[in-house]
Amino acid sequence: MNIVQFVDRRLFKMGIVISAIMVLLAIVFLIIAKKYVAIKDYSSLSYTKIERKKLPVYGEVLAILFLTGILIFAFIPTWNRS
């Protein structure tokens, strides 16, 4: 099966479903990778102590709103008016 086949109007919804599944799988694998990297001890790789800076609450809210907007925008189908 080829993704190009989903350009057809009858199969357009199937293309949206496959895209959504691929995005969800990418998010799941990124979360798994983050957990795996957190297990490792990389403190010996740097000569200076690295401090984590926590975002203020408004920074976290803005980051979440920005990323949510990008995800919503990514799922909006484009209609070709020809």
Side-chain angles (χ1 to χ4, degrees):
M1 198 177 293
N2 194 348
I3 292 180
V4 176
Q5 293 173 345
F6 297 120
V7 174
D8 186 14
R9 285 195 180 269
R10 293 170 290 158
L11 300 174
F12 185 71
K13 289 181 182 177
M14 188 61 146
I16 293 173
V17 170
I18 288 179
S19 299
I21 291 171
M22 290 173 64
V23 168
L24 290 175
L25 283 174
I27 291 170
V28 167
F29 286 124
L30 283 173
I31 291 171
I32 291 171
K34 181 180 176 185
K35 298 284 184 187
Y36 177 74
V37 170
I39 294 172
K40 302 281 185 178
D41 183 22
Y42 293 105
S43 61
S44 63
L45 295 178
S46 65
Y47 295 111
T48 60
K49 186 175 180 182
I50 299 173
E51 294 182 21
R52 287 188 175 217
K53 294 183 179 180
K54 186 152 176 70
L55 280 177
V57 176
Y58 66 88
E60 288 182 14
V61 171
L62 286 175
I64 291 171
L65 288 175
F66 176 72
L67 294 175
T68 303
I70 289 177
L71 282 174
I72 290 172
F73 185 71
F75 283 111
I76 295 175
T78 56
W79 300 105
N80 197 2
R81 297 182 185 204
S82 54

